[in-house]
Amino acid sequence: ASTHPLSQQRQSDIESRLANTPQKADYYQNDDFWYVRAASRVVQARGGMALQQAMQQFDAEQQGDRPVAQSAGLYGKAFAAFKRQEYEESADLLARARAKQQNAALDILEVDLLMTTGQEQAALDKARQAWQMWPNQQALGLVYAQAMQAVGADTQAIDFLDELIDK
């Protein structure tokens, strides 16, 4: 028993809110969830045993039956390799991830990889192509603007960002 009973209106409000909240399984339906989770695991692990555990989780996801989970597992490994500055391995894993499933996260990492390895024009070309495919991805918009700046197209980057802000 409660010392502060809920009014019928308050009880109804709570029940309505609970009925409209997404179920846990719904998160798994969004492909972006898998890639964000993979990146989060790498960032949180930083190294040592935690990173080893993350790599084991990525291996397990690669063995699963869902292409998006397989791709995200490979993406997580590619992101970890990128963080370790193992760019060739990162590029290989990224290509394998892309063969399983397409996602803006893969394009973002590829643009970052190209810019880090001094391939600014290729990064800009990839970012432009990716933006055509994923025009609502804010993180992609940011790396697109950074790629423009990397090739000296500062005015275009400012115009692009102004256009995004006005959306």
Side-chain angles (χ1 to χ4, degrees):
S2 172
T3 58
H4 301 295
L6 295 175
S7 69
Q8 189 172 13
Q9 181 182 4
R10 181 72 179 130
Q11 180 104 16
S12 175
D13 180 51
I14 291 169
E15 289 171 357
S16 174
R17 288 177 189 222
L18 287 173
N20 292 323
T21 58
Q23 298 299 314
K24 184 176 180 181
D26 289 345
Y27 295 118
Y28 299 108
Q29 302 305 315
N30 184 330
D31 290 353
D32 292 338
F33 164 82
W34 294 92
Y35 297 93
V36 169
R37 184 173 76 166
S40 297
R41 284 178 177 165
V42 172
V43 170
Q44 289 175 347
R46 295 189 186 143
M49 192 64 149
L51 187 57
Q52 268 185 319
Q53 288 174 334
M55 291 299 157
Q56 289 171 349
Q57 288 173 325
F58 297 146
D59 287 338
E61 287 172 0
Q62 283 178 252
Q63 305 308 314
D65 57 351
R66 295 189 64 193
V68 66
Q70 294 169 355
S71 176
L74 287 161
Y75 165 79
K77 293 171 97 172
F79 187 60
F82 176 79
K83 291 291 189 184
R84 291 190 311 266
Q85 299 179 358
E86 295 173 2
Y87 303 128
E88 196 171 305
E89 179 184 352
S90 180
D92 175 59
L93 290 163
L94 200 52
R96 290 175 50 204
R98 185 167 274 123
K100 302 273 184 193
Q101 177 101 11
Q102 294 292 321
N103 189 277
L106 301 172
D107 292 328
I108 292 167
L109 182 56
E110 183 175 352
V111 170
D112 283 340
L113 185 59
L114 290 167
M115 286 199 308
T116 301
T117 58
Q119 302 173 63
E120 289 87 2
Q121 186 59 51
L124 178 58
D125 294 342
K126 181 62 189 176
R128 184 179 294 120
Q129 175 190 5
W131 186 251
Q132 297 302 314
M133 189 174 222
W134 318 102
N136 295 320
Q137 291 287 335
Q138 289 183 351
L140 181 58
L142 176 62
V143 297
Y144 187 17
Q146 290 170 339
M148 285 184 222
Q149 288 181 303
V151 298
D154 294 331
T155 304
Q156 290 91 331
I158 291 168
D159 292 343
F160 173 74
L161 292 172
D162 282 341
E163 187 179 308
L164 284 183
I165 291 168
D166 291 340
K167 267 189 174 180

Coordinates of all heavy atoms in Angstrom, one line a residue, residues 8 43-45 67-69 74 89 104 113 118 121 134 157-158:
Q8 N -6.8 8.7 -10.4 CA -7.1 7.9 -11.6 C -6.5 8.5 -12.9 O -6.0 7.9 -13.7 CB -8.6 7.7 -11.7 CG -9.0 6.7 -12.8 CD -10.5 6.4 -12.8 OE1 -11.3 7.1 -12.1 NE2 -10.9 5.4 -13.5
V43 N 35.3 2.9 -27.8 CA 35.6 4.1 -27.1 C 35.7 3.9 -25.6 O 36.6 4.3 -24.9 CB 34.6 5.3 -27.4 CG1 34.8 6.4 -26.5 CG2 34.8 5.7 -28.9
Q44 N 34.7 3.1 -25.1 CA 34.7 2.8 -23.6 C 35.8 1.9 -23.2 O 36.3 1.9 -22.1 CB 33.3 2.3 -23.2 CG 32.3 3.3 -23.3 CD 30.9 2.7 -23.0 OE1 30.7 1.5 -23.0 NE2 29.9 3.6 -22.8
A45 N 36.2 0.9 -24.1 CA 37.2 -0.1 -23.7 C 38.6 0.5 -23.6 O 39.3 0.1 -22.7 CB 37.2 -1.2 -24.8
P67 N 22.9 -9.7 -41.1 CA 23.9 -9.0 -41.8 C 24.3 -7.7 -41.2 O 25.5 -7.3 -41.2 CB 23.3 -8.8 -43.2 CG 22.3 -9.9 -43.4 CD 21.8 -10.1 -42.0
V68 N 23.3 -7.0 -40.6 CA 23.6 -5.7 -40.0 C 24.5 -5.9 -38.7 O 25.5 -5.2 -38.5 CB 22.4 -4.9 -39.6 CG1 21.5 -5.6 -38.5 CG2 22.7 -3.5 -39.1
A69 N 24.3 -7.0 -38.0 CA 25.1 -7.3 -36.8 C 26.5 -7.7 -37.2 O 27.5 -7.3 -36.6 CB 24.5 -8.3 -35.9
L74 N 32.3 -6.1 -37.8 CA 33.4 -5.7 -38.6 C 33.8 -4.3 -38.4 O 34.9 -3.9 -38.4 CB 33.2 -6.1 -40.0 CG 33.2 -7.6 -40.3 CD1 32.6 -7.9 -41.6 CD2 34.7 -8.1 -40.3
E89 N 44.7 -2.3 -42.0 CA 43.8 -3.2 -41.4 C 42.4 -2.6 -41.3 O 41.4 -3.3 -41.6 CB 44.3 -3.7 -40.0 CG 43.4 -4.7 -39.4 CD 43.8 -5.1 -38.0 OE1 44.9 -4.7 -37.5 OE2 43.0 -5.8 -37.3
A104 N 25.8 4.7 -42.9 CA 26.5 6.0 -42.9 C 27.7 5.9 -42.0 O 28.7 6.5 -42.3 CB 25.6 7.1 -42.4
L113 N 39.3 7.9 -42.3 CA 40.5 7.1 -42.7 C 41.3 7.8 -43.8 O 42.5 7.9 -43.8 CB 40.1 5.7 -43.0 CG 41.1 4.7 -43.3 CD1 42.1 4.5 -42.2 CD2 40.5 3.3 -43.7
G118 N 46.1 11.3 -45.5 CA 46.5 12.3 -46.4 C 45.8 12.3 -47.8 O 46.3 12.9 -48.7
Q121 N 41.4 14.7 -51.1 CA 40.4 14.8 -52.2 C 39.6 13.5 -52.3 O 38.4 13.6 -52.5 CB 41.2 15.0 -53.6 CG 40.2 15.3 -54.7 CD 39.3 16.5 -54.6 OE1 39.8 17.6 -54.2 NE2 38.0 16.3 -54.7
W134 N 22.9 9.6 -47.6 CA 22.5 9.7 -46.2 C 22.4 11.2 -45.9 O 23.1 11.7 -45.0 CB 23.5 9.1 -45.3 CG 24.0 7.8 -45.7 CD1 25.3 7.5 -46.2 CD2 23.4 6.5 -45.6 NE1 25.4 6.2 -46.4 CE2 24.3 5.5 -46.0 CE3 22.1 6.1 -45.1 CZ2 24.0 4.2 -46.1 CZ3 21.8 4.7 -45.2 CH2 22.7 3.8 -45.6
A157 N 32.3 25.0 -47.3 CA 32.0 24.3 -46.0 C 31.1 25.2 -45.2 O 30.2 24.7 -44.6 CB 33.3 24.0 -45.3
I158 N 31.4 26.5 -45.2 CA 30.6 27.4 -44.4 C 29.1 27.5 -45.0 O 28.1 27.4 -44.3 CB 31.2 28.8 -44.4 CG1 32.4 28.8 -43.5 CG2 30.2 29.9 -43.9 CD1 33.3 30.1 -43.7

